[in-house]
Amino acid sequence: MGKEVLNALDVAKTQWYHFTAIIIAGMGFFTDAYDLFCISLVTKLLGRIYYHVEGASKPGTLPPHVSAAVNGVAFVGTLSGQLFFGWLGDKLGRKKVYGITLMLMVMASIASGLSFGHDPKTVMTTLCFFRFWLGFGIGGDYPLSATIMSEYANKKTRGAFIAAVFAMQGFGILAGGVFAIVIASAFKARFRALPYEVDPFGSTVPQADYVWRIILMAGAVPAALTYYWRLKMPETARYTALVAKNMEQAAADMAKVMQVEIQAETKMEEKAQGKSYGLFSKDFLTRHGLHLLGTTSTWFLLDIAFYSQNLFQKDIFSAIGWIPPAKTMNALEEVFRIARAQTLIALCSTVPGYWFTVAFIDKIGRFSIQLMGFFFMTIFMFALAIPYDHWTHKENRIGFVVLYSLTFFFANFGPNATTFVVPAEIFPARFRSTCHGISSASGKLGAMVGAFGFLYLAQNQDKSKTDAGYPAGIGVRNSLLVLGFVNILGFMFTFLVPEAKGKSLEDISGENEEEAETNNKV
């Protein structure tokens, strides 16, 4: 069976095509990160515009259930997209499905900035509706991008290339931050307004309603630009060869995009096809059951910790005084300040973490990076939680930010990147995209626990000090302790996942053994 084709891919030199593939494949993650980054700014602004209460001492905020809906529907959409398109990518092929997810993202991004009507209810409903579909498209991109990149790459640098696709998230965060800063500054300079406490109604200029729409819609532009190249991408050789079983086509496709000469054997061997096992079979369970448990559990646990950060971020900035109290600013000033603070954190901790993974993943391996990441995340979470009182004092706030940044540096130079890479490598080609979809969907479940569970958990234990509309929680300190234990569990479950560094995909997934067994039976 056309080993040459796959072998040629495994040993191909890294070439220009690999780099273009990163950008084409990474666009979904760019959009994903851009959207996640911007929605936190947008919700602040929406609260001021649509939930302004006459005579209140503080600016309007989204009621808890609305805020949960705006953030939650995107997660639910993403989770559904991961499962659906993951399955579809194995059924129909990666390429067929790949344009659809991108188109969905572009259309939903644009639509989420166009709401029908002007009262809070219709604005929020349409926003939630389109954010669901945006999530659905983004979700589809997870398994497809990972699988495509893993199937294109050579075995020496495969980890780095899959991680680089994921690291496009870093650019998405920065683009979101810079764009929000630019738009907010431009509007702020053009439409002056007094702080909320001086002029509650006038502090939100009518034009602020355009700001959030422009920010959300701009997320569609980079994705739309890569649509053409996505359609041009041929089906991956591994899918064509191993799933569609068409060797010649696989050889021809690869010769088109890469400088490799491959002659495929023309004769399709008429050998008795051994029964290849299915996803829900006992065979799959014995060979890959623990692997799937490993990839789903580690991604689930990591995302609980990772997505709770977005919650703590706003509070942390306010607590350390980077962002003054809301009532001392006008609406656009607040967008500007939050965007600036988040961008700084991203530049210092989040983005470098991704690229550290890209640099080291093929040298020290996925397993070590993941263990190390969970280990340090645990340490830093406990270092934040145990002397939590100490960190709340003004003079210690720099130390708090440093530890906080280190936690997320080791999430990205650690499990946030590796949990994405590994499921694209260790399963057979015919389940690869499905299993990646299942793993990432499990991660999104964790994200929901992290984002919503902790929204309630982190509330003050004293009911009179909680955010408007929330019940009393266990407080930030105890929440951080819980997260520390979550990371310890992640460390333990990492031991279920095999190392894929430097091996060919067919060796890791056991497809070569499978084939050998089939041939021996004949």
Side-chain angles (χ1 to χ4, degrees), residues 42-52 59-62 124:
V42 168
T43 44
K44 285 269 190 204
L45 196 49
L46 287 170
R48 283 188 185 236
I49 299 172
Y50 292 103
Y51 292 92
H52 172 71
T61 53
L62 296 187
M124 291 303 160

Side-chain angles (χ1 to χ4, degrees), residues 142-444:
Y142 270 70
L144 292 171
S145 294
T147 305
I148 284 179
M149 205 61 223
S150 130
E151 294 184 333
Y152 269 133
N154 61 39
K155 60 185 178 190
K156 254 211 328 273
T157 57
R158 184 180 59 236
F161 277 106
I162 307 174
V165 167
F166 194 58
M168 287 287 287
Q169 279 191 338
F171 288 123
I173 294 169
L174 293 179
V178 171
F179 189 70
I181 290 171
V182 169
I183 293 290
S185 311
F187 272 77
K188 205 172 68 175
R190 179 84 179 67
F191 307 104
R192 301 213 169 273
L194 293 163
Y196 182 87
E197 53 190 356
V198 182
D199 177 3
F201 186 71
S203 68
T204 306
V205 293
Q207 291 80 3
D209 199 40
Y210 292 115
V211 171
W212 67 271
R213 297 169 191 275
I214 293 170
I215 290 175
L216 285 184
M217 291 164 90
V221 176
L225 293 177
T226 53
Y227 185 67
Y228 169 78
W229 287 283
R230 242 186 216 204
L231 293 185
K232 285 282 219 227
M233 235 176 174
E235 181 55 81
T236 74
R238 287 193 155 88
Y239 185 85
T240 313
L242 297 170
V243 187
K245 304 246 187 291
N246 181 347
M247 276 303 148
E248 284 173 323
Q249 184 63 44
D253 282 348
M254 282 305 99
K256 267 206 299 261
V257 289
M258 304 236 212
Q259 286 80 47
V260 279
E261 269 309 303
I262 319 163
Q263 263 72 49
E265 311 95 289
T266 351
K267 54 178 202 308
M268 290 299 278
E269 294 101 79
E270 297 293 323
K271 61 163 184 270
Q273 270 293 325
K275 285 285 289 158
S276 55
Y277 59 89
L279 181 59
F280 295 107
S281 64
K282 206 158 136 214
D283 271 351
F284 180 84
L285 201 66
T286 49
R287 293 177 190 215
H288 298 292
L290 280 178
H291 296 167
L292 191 58
L293 176 64
T295 57
T296 48
S297 58
T298 49
W299 204 335
F300 174 78
L301 293 162
L302 161 87
D303 269 6
I304 293 181
F306 194 75
Y307 279 86
S308 62
Q309 69 156 330
N310 290 347
L311 298 177
F312 293 130
Q313 220 166 48
K314 298 197 277 288
D315 310 332
I316 281 171
F317 294 146
S318 306
I320 60 173
W322 273 16
I323 296 173
K327 63 179 181 199
T328 61
M329 300 180 280
N330 65 43
L332 295 174
E333 175 74 22
E334 185 176 42
V335 173
F336 173 77
R337 289 289 184 99
I338 298 175
R340 193 179 61 182
Q342 288 190 353
T343 309
L344 276 171
I345 284 269
L347 261 179
C348 302
S349 76
T350 339
V351 178
Y354 286 121
W355 294 105
F356 265 77
T357 304
V358 173
F360 291 109
I361 190 163
D362 290 309
K363 296 190 175 60
I364 54 181
R366 292 80 170 130
F367 182 74
S368 316
I369 290 182
Q370 190 161 314
L371 273 186
M372 172 200 73
F374 272 129
F375 176 77
F376 282 115
M377 284 171 77
T378 309
I379 301 277
F380 291 127
M381 287 279 186
F382 283 143
L384 285 173
I386 294 163
Y388 185 69
D389 236 20
H390 167 81
W391 299 120
T392 50
H393 300 304
K394 264 261 175 358
E395 62 274 15
N396 304 327
R397 63 189 190 200
I398 296 298
F400 188 83
V401 175
V402 169
L403 282 182
Y404 176 81
S405 300
L406 279 169
T407 315
F408 293 102
F409 171 79
F410 280 109
N412 287 338
F413 182 27
N416 194 30
T418 52
T419 50
F420 176 78
V421 173
V422 173
E425 302 182 307
I426 62 178
F427 300 106
R430 59 183 183 277
F431 312 129
R432 189 169 287 136
S433 141
T434 307
C435 288
H436 196 285
I438 293 170
S439 307
S440 55
S442 157
K444 274 294 166 275

